[in-house]
Amino acid sequence: MTEAYEVLIIDDEEIVCRGLAQFVKWEAHGFQVAGTAYSVDEGLAFLERHPVDVVFLDIRMPKKTGLDMLKVMHSVYPETKAVILSGFSEFSYAQEAVRYGAADYLTKPVNLKEVEGLLLSAARGYGDVKAEDYGITMPDQWYGLAVRLLDQELPEQEICEKKEWLKQMTEGVVPGAIVLNNESYGLFAVIPCRGEEEAEYFIEILEQSVDMKREWACGVSKIKHGFGDLREAYQEAGQALRYHRASEKEGVIWYKNIEALFSQSIPEVTELITRLYGRITGPSERAEAVPELMEALERLEKKPLTLAQMQTLCIRCLIELNGLLQGLKLQDVDLHGQLNRTLEKILLSSDINSVSGCVGDYVNWLVERMGAADDQQLGKGVIREMQLYIRKHYQENLSLNALAEQFFLHPNYLSRLFKEKTGKNFVEYLTEVRMEKVMELLDGTEDKIADICAMAGYDNPRYFSKVFKQYTGMTPSEYRERNGWNV
């Protein structure tokens, strides 16, 4: 096994040292924390006793600064890499730090899940992340595992506990597993393996340890190699998971067993599924669902496609659409039964026009059932999931459009639905969540107000103070003073 790179953390704030040491998944990425120090002198004394590969250090500390430390390291420990941590992001500090050999420069408050966030961003295709730039060590051979809780009515705390238990169990059974918090109800994991047999062995353990019939849905990608296959594995595991939700199958769905449904990569199909879901769930847009579907199918017929290809694409489309609709928890709507009857008709169709007709009839049936469904029930599950998503991602640059894209809804419809079900618009709810967190930090920590501003998702301190005063009637400093803290 490759020896882990050793890390030394130097910061005069104990909470930063402890947080970085305990909560960053160092071992998962080929590192281990050799020690922590609270001053430059302590750090240099540690290096004399125990040389390390990387030093994370604060730029501003009492007596001697991080720049002083860098100057010594530059001449005495030239092989040791340094990463600067600071709440002071002025260019002059970064420029000076780089001159003395700093490999990177991070502003505080440090995002303790930065590496995990980078991996998830790359998996979703949101960014072109180079593993070597961040010290990310991926297994040579692995597969992707996507899991999702079936019961979305559980209390938020219980959801978090179940996800954390599954994460710890996975990391305990498979050394080197990388488990990422994918979304409100699920996880995505990179599981190292030495072949199909070992992959199947872990899934057997998972099925024995976890109630896969009543508690979790699970999708597994094909075997992958290296960092470059991350996005493909994420897509395959996700498609298997959606197939699980759309069908009545229990247990684990392997992508290799449903690959034929996705063998043809036609972007129009993915776009069509998203648009159809938005039309069907939006009362003012439902009438457009079937005409838009038929136009899309006519365009597909012109590619041209064989009967078998058209059948496969339409089956895939309906299965994915059905998987999305499962999350709405519709009462008295037999999604599984109607889907299975439609799929049977599609497979028995003798020509492409008949296939298109079957799909059109199914979507028309959905439109009628949605129109008759209790609107309260329709919005309940989606809005609850959005609220959980906002509470978990409030630190990010959230917008109504980004939330709409995440949940496959038109922004205008999402805005109306959110206001109707919660009594608040999106911005009001996001502000409420952020302000609750700010008051918690002001009450319970000695963090600087400028740092709390960033922790709550605000990049403009003046605007942050204005919003806080509008919400509480006090400035952040006045609020903290009222509770007996020194600013």
Side-chain angles (χ1 to χ4, degrees), residues 50-87:
H50 191 130
V52 299
D53 301 289
V54 184
V55 174
F56 283 76
L57 71 155
D58 191 5
I59 195 89
R60 283 205 174 182
M61 291 181 283
K63 297 180 181 179
K64 294 180 181 178
T65 69
L67 292 177
D68 295 323
M69 179 79 180
L70 277 174
K71 292 175 185 177
V72 176
M73 289 177 59
H74 188 63
S75 59
V76 181
Y77 305 100
E79 298 301 315
T80 302
K81 303 295 183 183
V83 177
I84 290 293
L85 309 173
S86 180

Side-chain angles (χ1 to χ4, degrees), residues 19 121 411:
S121 176

Side-chain angles (χ1 to χ4, degrees), residues 314-371:
C314 288
I315 289 171
R316 169 189 169 183
C317 179
L318 295 189
I319 285 176
E320 292 222 40
L321 178 61
N322 187 274
L324 292 172
L325 292 169
Q326 290 296 325
L328 297 179
K329 302 275 185 187
L330 297 168
Q331 294 179 343
D332 304 321
V333 179
D334 184 15
L335 287 174
H336 283 311
Q338 188 68 22
L339 174 66
N340 288 335
R341 288 188 288 273
T342 301
L343 297 186
E344 183 178 355
K345 289 179 181 178
I346 290 174
L347 290 171
L348 293 174
S349 295
S350 57
D351 55 62
I352 287 178
N353 286 336
S354 298
V355 172
S356 298
C358 292
V359 178
D361 289 344
Y362 178 74
V363 173
N364 190 58
W365 177 84
L366 285 175
V367 167
E368 292 175 355
R369 291 301 179 277
M370 290 293 169

Side-chain angles (χ1 to χ4, degrees), residues 237-347:
Q239 287 166 338
L241 187 59
R242 289 194 294 276
Y243 182 88
H244 186 294
R245 295 177 67 192
S247 67
E248 293 183 295
K249 293 183 179 296
E250 296 177 340
V252 177
I253 300 294
W254 293 77
Y255 180 80
K256 63 185 180 182
N257 295 332
I258 60 169
E259 186 176 7
L261 289 175
F262 304 93
S263 58
Q264 284 184 284
S265 179
I266 298 182
E268 292 97 316
V269 174
T270 302
E271 294 168 7
L272 176 60
I273 294 166
T274 302
R275 290 200 307 274
L276 277 178
Y277 181 77
R279 298 283 192 228
I280 292 168
T281 55
S284 63
E285 302 175 13
R286 285 194 190 121
E288 302 172 29
V290 174
E292 184 165 337
L293 168 68
M294 301 314 291
E295 288 179 12
L297 292 177
E298 287 177 11
R299 289 194 297 271
L300 285 174
E301 291 174 19
K302 294 176 182 177
K303 284 207 172 278
L305 299 176
T306 65
L307 174 61
Q309 289 172 328
M310 190 66 172
Q311 288 171 320
T312 300
L313 286 175
C314 288
I315 289 171
R316 169 189 169 183
C317 179
L318 295 189
I319 285 176
E320 292 222 40
L321 178 61
N322 187 274
L324 292 172
L325 292 169
Q326 290 296 325
L328 297 179
K329 302 275 185 187
L330 297 168
Q331 294 179 343
D332 304 321
V333 179
D334 184 15
L335 287 174
H336 283 311
Q338 188 68 22
L339 174 66
N340 288 335
R341 288 188 288 273
T342 301
L343 297 186
E344 183 178 355
K345 289 179 181 178
I346 290 174
L347 290 171

Side-chain angles (χ1 to χ4, degrees), residues 114-167:
E114 182 176 5
V115 172
E116 295 182 33
L118 287 165
L119 284 169
L120 194 54
S121 176
R124 291 173 172 172
Y126 294 160
D128 183 17
V129 177
K130 295 182 179 179
E132 61 272 16
D133 290 347
Y134 295 91
I136 298 172
T137 304
M138 290 287 285
D140 291 333
Q141 191 166 249
W142 55 277
Y143 58 93
L145 174 73
V147 294
R148 182 180 172 90
L149 277 167
L150 294 172
D151 185 357
Q152 297 173 17
E153 299 299 323
L154 294 172
E156 183 176 353
Q157 181 62 33
E158 189 173 348
I159 292 171
C160 293
E161 289 172 356
K162 287 182 178 292
K163 287 173 62 176
E164 183 60 28
W165 177 85
L166 185 58
K167 180 177 182 178

Side-chain angles (χ1 to χ4, degrees), residues 407-457:
F407 289 92
F408 305 97
L409 295 174
H410 191 282
N412 293 340
Y413 175 62
L414 185 153
S415 179
R416 293 196 304 272
L417 188 65
F418 198 93
K419 176 74 172 179
E420 180 184 337
K421 304 305 178 189
T422 67
K424 305 177 183 72
N425 64 37
F426 164 72
V427 173
E428 289 170 340
Y429 185 78
L430 176 60
T431 299
E432 180 181 286
V433 170
R434 285 174 168 173
M435 291 299 106
E436 287 176 1
K437 185 62 179 179
V438 168
M439 289 188 288
E440 178 185 325
L441 292 169
L442 289 171
D443 280 336
T445 74
E446 294 181 331
D447 292 334
K448 297 172 184 176
I449 290 175
D451 291 345
I452 291 175
C453 166
M455 290 178 191

